[in-house]
Amino acid sequence: MTVKFGTSGLRGLVTGMTPELITAHVQSFLTACDTGGILCVGQDLRPSSPRIAGDVMEAARTRGIRVIDCGALPTPALALAAQGRGAGAVMVTGSHIPADRNGLKFYTTQGEITKADEAAILQHLGETPAPPATPGTLETDTTATQAYVARYVNAFGAAALSGRRIGVYTHSAVGRDDLMQILNGLGAEVVELGRSATFIPVDTEAVDPDTRAQIVAWVRAHGLDALVSTDGDSDRPLLADETGRVVPGDILGQITAQALGAEVIATPISSNSGVTQKGFKEVKLTQIGSPYVIAAMEEAQGQVIGYEANGGFLLGFAAIAPAGPLPALVTRDCTLPILMTLYAGREGIAARVAQEPPVVTVADRLQNVDQNKSRPLLDQWQNDPAARAAFLAGLGKKEKAMDLTDGLRMTLSDGDVIHIRPSGNAPELRLYIETNDVSDAQTLLASTLDALKHAL
């Protein structure tokens, strides 16, 4: 099966994203979920997105839904536009995965779909609702990105980043121009780097060595105070400090949560465990995926935020930013953690990051590994202590404890962590490493990746 519906909505090979399949899922979504009779539709910059967005809009109109075409824009900007209208939304994006794949992200009037919404959508698949008396209308909205830019310029102020020289790796991110506009609006000197006319899949959670080396070169060549970027649909941040070192997304989350005065943190089990040392009232650890984070946020009381290891930040309360109010936006957002970390690191990003608890996390992935290959291996290791011990012995490690919240997370006798998990939305096997030393983390990451390749 080339297309799968799950935690990140509908996602798979473009060849499998047929008009019939899109229509079935969109109309099931409209039956199962509250959209207020309005559907905002956005898209990223991959070549297949305009066609798929057209299929989405046609499917909604044939159900009598009022459709608002928001064009190419960041996913959080689309969520903000839908929130302001009391509408539902569909974002056409494959996020960070290659251009031969694409997907749909669904939003109700309350925000991203939940696991309960997911189940309801699947329940209604295959139904053929009676057509309405008249098709829905189609409108165009060109103001959604303007509102998103204004949200942050107003909240941080025109001088928030004055005197800072910031590079923006624009590649093929849909929010590249919006991010540059925001940074300029906050007084930064912006240097654009690496714009691409073809789609480049940038994974902010597992930045490849060539991209890391390019970032270091750019930072040095242009004398940058920081470099920033996003993934394809601009809901996950990438930030490198003044040395070119990429700051992990969960560290951006920790810094941002503290700066906003958050009380309760909801974050996946794969996030940096240093957050538990920062004095927050409560830290709720979840399965990996924004629906799980949102569910934990909904259960919490007080000033709650969520963030993922990829840096996507979910603001669950009306916060106060440096220059003014910042209304809640419970969807993955890249801009808030980028701006807040830049602002908090006015004396240097590296120095601010060094203030965080001394816990180091790194991540990578094996691509083109289907679950039918990875799942049996993990099942064996989960159920057979001797098999686990043999795998770890090859790395010179011993197990102290095991956690099965999401995948196989092994805490080792020396305090290090190896966490292995099949991706829920791509044919990838994800690997997360946690140590208290950067060099040790990279060494353990490389050796474990090699061991996984051999085991598979």
Side-chain angles (χ1 to χ4, degrees):
M1 186 173 182
T2 62
V3 178
K4 179 181 178 182
F5 180 77
T7 299
S8 293
L10 189 69
R11 185 175 289 186
L13 291 171
V14 170
T15 53
M17 299 281 289
T18 63
E20 294 78 16
L21 183 138
I22 291 167
T23 296
H25 281 82
V26 169
Q27 294 194 346
S28 180
F29 162 66
L30 295 172
T31 298
C33 300
D34 178 19
T35 65
I38 307 171
L39 189 70
C40 298
V41 180
Q43 59 184 277
D44 68 11
L45 298 180
R46 61 187 70 216
S48 60
S49 291
R51 188 273 295 175
I52 294 173
D55 293 340
V56 170
M57 290 186 278
E58 181 62 22
R61 290 188 65 219
T62 60
R63 283 290 309 277
I65 299 295
R66 175 187 171 196
V67 175
I68 300 172
D69 182 3
C70 296
L73 80 171
T75 294
L78 178 68
L80 182 67
Q83 177 177 288
R85 292 176 180 270
V90 173
M91 179 70 182
V92 180
T93 180
S95 188
H96 62 282
I97 59 180
D100 66 340
R101 299 172 181 271
N102 212 327
L104 306 180
K105 292 181 179 180
F106 297 97
Y107 290 78
T108 73
T109 56
Q110 302 304 308
E112 289 187 44
I113 59 170
T114 65
K115 297 303 289 184
D117 293 328
E118 178 186 323
I121 292 169
L122 287 172
Q123 182 181 349
H124 288 283
L125 270 179
E127 295 181 358
T128 306
T134 57
T137 58
L138 176 62
E139 307 166 29
T140 300
D141 181 4
T142 60
T143 66
T145 54
Q146 297 171 24
Y148 184 69
V149 169
R151 168 183 171 88
Y152 289 111
V153 172
N154 293 338
F156 280 81
L161 300 179
S162 61
R164 310 286 289 282
R165 184 173 169 84
I166 299 172
V168 180
Y169 173 32
T170 50
H171 60 93
S172 52
V174 70
R176 54 193 179 183
D177 294 326
D178 307 312
L179 181 56
M180 288 193 292
Q181 186 178 349
I182 291 169
L183 294 170
N184 277 316
L186 301 181
E189 178 187 358
V190 175
V191 179
E192 183 183 2
L193 301 160
R195 180 177 286 254
S196 175
T198 58
F199 188 81
I200 299 175
V202 172
D203 187 344
T204 65
E205 190 176 1
V207 183
D208 64 81
D210 289 344
T211 301
R212 288 178 184 270
Q214 180 63 77
I215 288 171
V216 170
W218 277 332
V219 168
R220 291 174 178 173
H222 296 279
L224 302 177
D225 296 305
L227 180 144
V228 300
S229 189
T230 78
D231 65 337
D233 65 321
S234 297
D235 67 347
R236 305 178 185 189
L238 188 156
L239 186 150
D241 66 18
E242 62 272 27
T243 71
R245 178 179 292 177
V246 174
V247 181
D250 41 19
I251 298 299
L252 302 181
Q254 291 178 190
I255 292 171
T256 304
Q258 182 177 12
L260 291 172
E263 299 170 342
V264 180
I265 310 298
T267 193
I269 188 72
S270 59
S271 292
N272 189 301
S273 65
V275 66
T276 61
Q277 304 175 32
K278 288 178 62 67
F280 293 110
K281 181 179 177 181
E282 183 180 7
V283 176
K284 300 170 74 70
L285 298 178
T286 76
Q287 289 181 254
I288 296 170
S290 55
Y292 299 109
V293 174
I294 292 169
M297 292 174 69
E298 291 175 343
E299 295 173 355
Q301 302 292 323
Q303 298 185 171
V304 59
I305 63 92
Y307 65 80
E308 298 181 278
N310 57 46
F313 195 91
L314 302 94
L315 180 59
F317 68 100
I320 301 298
L326 193 61
L329 184 61
V330 187
T331 190
R332 269 193 305 244
D333 182 25
C334 71
T335 304
L336 180 54
I338 286 174
L339 297 183
M340 192 58 81
T341 304
L342 289 173
Y343 186 80
R346 294 185 295 281
E347 304 304 319
I349 301 296
R352 177 61 190 85
V353 171
Q355 296 174 23
E356 295 302 296
V359 178
V360 178
T361 55
V362 292
D364 208 335
R365 56 188 169 154
L366 295 180
Q367 295 179 282
N368 299 314
V369 178
D370 290 327
Q371 285 203 26
N372 60 9
K373 289 183 63 179
S374 61
R375 190 72 262 173
L377 179 64
L378 288 189
D379 287 344
Q380 178 191 12
W381 286 344
Q382 288 174 10
N383 298 320
D384 186 347
R388 275 199 318 278
F391 172 72
L392 293 175
L395 298 169
K397 299 289 186 179
K398 292 183 178 180
E399 181 184 271
K400 178 181 179 182
M402 179 178 68
D403 188 309
L404 300 179
T405 299
D406 198 327
L408 175 61
R409 183 179 177 88
M410 296 170 285
T411 300
L412 310 179
S413 58
D414 58 7
D416 293 349
V417 173
I418 296 175
H419 184 178
I420 308 166
R421 168 186 175 268
S423 172
N425 51 43
E428 299 172 347
L429 186 61
R430 290 274 180 173
L431 173 63
Y432 309 89
I433 298 294
E434 183 171 291
T435 71
N436 59 8
D437 179 84
V438 173
S439 178
D440 289 348
Q442 293 293 346
T443 299
L444 184 56
L445 180 73
S447 60
T448 307
L449 278 175
D450 285 343
L452 286 172
K453 290 177 186 176
H454 179 74
L456 289 166

